[in-house]
Amino acid sequence: MAMSWLPSASIEALLDELEMVANGNSWRAVRSALTFISTIVFQNLLTVQKPNISSRIQKILLVSLQNPQLEVREAAASCLSKLLQCGYLVLSSELTGHFLEMAAVKLHKTKGKVAVRNTDGKALVKRHAGVLGLAACIRAFPHTIPDAVPDILVALSRHAHDPPFILSTVKKTVADFKHTHRDTWELHKSRFTDEQLLILADLLISPNYFT
């Protein structure tokens, strides 16, 4: 069905089902639904342009980013990046602000290091959701640098001492950014302030990120 053109009413009905799946208990079903969503959008770009449809799709992705299962969160971030890259979803200040707020959720620390406790589970997931959302915003623009991207990269730099699965997201995002912008860096670096360039330089050469 996802590979066929669908009328608006059918897409609305599908979204009803996908919303139930996204809030369900089967993480494998949620992960499959996220792949289904991106296919539906690409095959029905004209139909899904309605604001009520795009807002529902974005909400499903935001909910899935906070799924307790890592694989679901990563699938949601991948889908979000694709929909931002094609222009279906918009990189708005509200969206980036939402991710920045989640990424700033506090974790317990002991002697400067994050100490993961059993009670930190929800906070860890929320913090990772924010980092994944920010990473998706960066990956959505592999050859350009929108106004929001420099600040997002600086925000990611604050997660150098986060738990391994969050730090892994930051490492991969920074490495991908370095690779996709290498050939045009002389043109793009003017998008950054001097302070941002110093932070970015530290990100790109720090052994903490590439070991």
Side-chain angles (χ1 to χ4, degrees):
M1 182 180 292
M3 298 302 292
S4 306
W5 177 85
L6 299 172
S8 180
S10 295
I11 290 177
E12 294 273 12
L14 271 175
L15 288 177
D16 290 339
E17 298 297 322
L18 291 171
E19 285 166 346
M20 287 191 291
V21 170
N23 289 286
N25 296 321
S26 173
W27 69 265
R28 289 181 174 84
V30 181
R31 184 175 62 177
S32 297
L34 292 168
T35 302
F36 192 64
I37 285 173
S38 60
T39 305
I40 289 173
V41 170
F42 294 142
Q43 292 294 323
N44 298 273
L45 275 174
L46 292 178
T47 311
V48 298
Q49 291 296 331
K50 294 182 178 180
N52 64 311
I53 293 179
S54 61
S55 63
R56 290 179 70 183
I57 288 175
Q58 179 169 302
K59 185 175 180 179
I60 291 172
L61 297 182
L62 296 183
V63 168
S64 300
L65 273 174
Q66 296 192 63
N67 191 284
Q69 192 70 29
L70 175 62
E71 290 87 346
V72 173
R73 297 199 298 273
E74 291 178 337
S78 176
C79 185
L80 174 64
S81 179
K82 292 174 184 177
L83 298 188
L84 285 169
Q85 184 173 3
C86 75
Y88 178 67
L89 295 180
V90 178
L91 183 61
S92 65
S93 58
E94 290 78 12
L95 185 63
T96 56
H98 178 68
F99 294 144
L100 288 168
E101 182 179 350
M102 288 197 295
V105 168
K106 300 294 184 183
L107 302 176
H108 293 293
K109 290 188 177 183
T110 302
K111 293 182 179 180
K113 294 184 179 180
V114 173
V116 179
R117 302 180 182 178
N118 291 336
T119 55
D120 274 347
K122 290 183 178 179
L124 274 170
V125 168
K126 189 169 185 177
R127 189 174 175 98
H128 190 215
V131 170
L132 280 168
L134 294 173
C137 293
I138 292 174
R139 290 192 178 120
F141 304 95
H143 306 297
T144 59
I145 300 183
D147 291 342
V149 166
D151 285 335
I152 293 174
L153 282 166
V154 170
L156 288 180
S157 73
R158 303 184 187 119
H159 296 271
H161 301 292
D162 276 17
F165 64 91
I166 297 180
L167 180 56
S168 176
T169 298
V170 177
K171 284 182 178 181
K172 190 173 189 312
T173 304
V174 172
D176 289 346
F177 176 85
K178 179 180 180 180
H179 175 73
T180 57
H181 291 83
R182 180 183 300 158
D183 293 340
T184 54
W185 181 239
E186 288 302 314
L187 174 65
H188 286 143
K189 70 179 184 181
S190 63
R191 306 286 292 170
F192 295 79
T193 66
D194 290 342
E195 182 179 359
Q196 289 170 336
L197 285 172
L198 286 172
I199 294 172
L200 183 58
D202 185 57
L203 278 176
L204 295 174
I205 65 175
S206 173
N208 290 332
Y209 286 89
F210 295 102
T211 57

